[in-house]
């Protein structure tokens, strides 16, 4: 059974159809990429999976269960975590404290325990700090997303702003995360990175899927070539 099933999802903003009939499947242990030009609907699709947006139609199932309508915090507890194009750090906090924010989704002590600084809460806070340090040691800037102990990690343009050497190191890091038991779904514009690490690729254009398959197949698909090299892209169903 697939870990993530997105089935015929639609999402509009007024008269703009950002996502139109997108379906995709992500199996456990896979690195799957979603690519396409700016405005293709990639981030909107991610936001529907993470619960930031509710789709107008379609279904999203995680581990066989529909997650439509669940709040983002509940989806995170089920095992889906995401990063953003902008790091969205809390600038008045240290790096370690930022990672601890992600880890708090796995804590148990309530508001009363925290307010009274009960022994149980202090012990849990110490564990959170230790876990955050361990995440930082392993994966640096991705630590906050991994602190939630996800089964599925959504990466939104992780190579943005990186040079060639840093991008290569990022590719190795993503593989290590996958090898550690975390399934990866990522958006990325760096095609060399995608072709190097992805097991499967979905290509979107104007909110619609135009191609899907392993890198060797997608890179030679005529509609993908048209998108990236210029030319007319047939609309879905033609």
């Amino acid at each position: 059974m697939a870990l993530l099933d997105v089935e015929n999802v639609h999402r509009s903003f007024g008269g703009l159809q950002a996502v139109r009939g997108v379906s995709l499947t992500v199996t456990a242990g896979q690195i799957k990429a979603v690519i396409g030009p700016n405005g293709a609907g990639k981030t909107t699709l991610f936001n529907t999976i993470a619960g930031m947006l509710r789709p107008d139609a379609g279904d999203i199932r995680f581990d066989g269960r529909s997650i439509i309508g669940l709040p983002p915090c509940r989806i995170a507890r089920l095992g889906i975590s995401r990063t953003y194009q902008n790091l969205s750090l809390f600038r008045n906090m240290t790096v370690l404290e930022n990672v601890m924010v992600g880890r708090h989704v796995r804590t148990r002590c309530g508001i009363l325990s925290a307010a009274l600084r009960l022994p149980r809460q202090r012990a849990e806070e110490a564990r959170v700090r230790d876990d955050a340090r361990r995440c930082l040691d392993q994966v640096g800037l991705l630590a906050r997303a991994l602190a939630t102990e996800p089964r599925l990690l959504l990466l939104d343009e992780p190579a943005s702003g990186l040079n060639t050497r840093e991008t290569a190191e990022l590719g190795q890091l993503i593989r290590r995360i996958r090898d550690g038991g975390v399934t990866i779904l990522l958006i990325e514009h760096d095609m060399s990175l995608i072709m190097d690490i992805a097991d499967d690729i979905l290509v979107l254009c104007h909110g619609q899927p135009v191609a899907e398959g392993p890198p060797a197949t997608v890179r030679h698909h005529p509609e993908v070539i048209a998108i990236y090299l210029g030319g007319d892209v047939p609309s879905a169903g033609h």
Side-chain angles (χ1 to χ4, degrees):
M1 183 169 59
L3 183 62
L4 179 73
D5 261 320
V6 175
E7 185 176 323
N8 197 30
V9 162
H10 294 253
R11 173 68 196 201
S12 297
F13 300 94
L16 173 65
Q17 291 183 295
V19 174
R20 297 189 280 173
V22 173
S23 297
L24 68 87
T25 298
V26 184
T27 59
Q30 188 177 45
I31 298 176
K32 181 144 186 169
V34 180
I35 67 172
N38 290 331
K42 304 182 298 296
T43 297
T44 299
L45 176 63
F46 262 36
N47 285 339
T48 63
I49 295 171
M52 309 298 293
L53 295 172
R54 182 165 185 155
D56 301 321
D59 195 15
I60 300 171
R61 295 185 299 277
F62 181 66
D63 203 15
R65 170 187 174 175
S66 178
I67 57 174
I68 297 294
L70 295 182
C73 59
R74 177 64 179 146
I75 291 174
R77 284 187 177 274
L78 290 175
I80 298 177
S81 183
R82 70 160 295 179
T83 64
Y84 295 84
Q85 289 174 290
N86 298 318
L87 288 178
S88 301
L89 296 176
F90 297 103
R91 299 193 181 278
N92 61 330
M93 294 182 178
T94 66
V95 172
L96 179 62
E97 288 168 341
N98 266 276
V99 176
M100 289 172 67
V101 169
R103 184 63 192 162
H104 275 289
V105 76
R106 295 295 175 196
T107 58
R108 297 180 179 275
C109 289
I111 294 174
L112 182 60
S113 295
L116 297 178
R117 296 291 293 167
L118 297 179
R120 189 177 114 186
Q121 191 275 338
R122 293 198 301 271
E124 185 172 69
E125 192 74 7
R127 286 195 298 272
V128 166
R129 189 174 294 274
D130 289 343
D131 289 343
R133 285 199 182 98
R134 186 164 56 252
C135 286
L136 275 172
D137 289 342
Q138 292 173 345
V139 295
L141 288 177
L142 292 179
R144 192 169 71 180
L146 287 174
T148 65
E149 296 182 1
R151 297 170 61 197
L152 175 66
L153 180 60
L154 310 181
L155 299 177
D156 193 346
E157 297 196 27
S160 179
L162 300 185
N163 60 34
T164 301
R165 178 185 58 79
E166 292 166 338
T167 298
E169 292 174 352
L170 174 67
Q172 295 171 6
L173 173 58
I174 291 173
R175 285 197 190 94
R176 289 203 306 272
I177 293 171
R178 187 270 308 276
D179 293 344
V182 180
T183 301
I184 307 290
L185 178 63
L186 77 154
I187 295 169
E188 186 50 65
H189 282 292
D190 190 308
M191 295 304 295
S192 62
L193 175 64
I194 290 299
M195 292 299 169
D196 182 43
I197 69 171
D199 300 308
D200 202 62
I201 301 172
L202 171 68
V203 186
L204 299 182
C205 189
H206 303 304
Q208 296 176 290
V210 297
E212 186 173 13
T217 300
V218 167
R219 76 196 315 161
H220 297 298
H221 195 288
E223 293 182 39
V224 177
I225 294 172
I227 289 170
Y228 285 98
L229 297 182
D232 296 327
V233 180
S235 60
H238 292 78

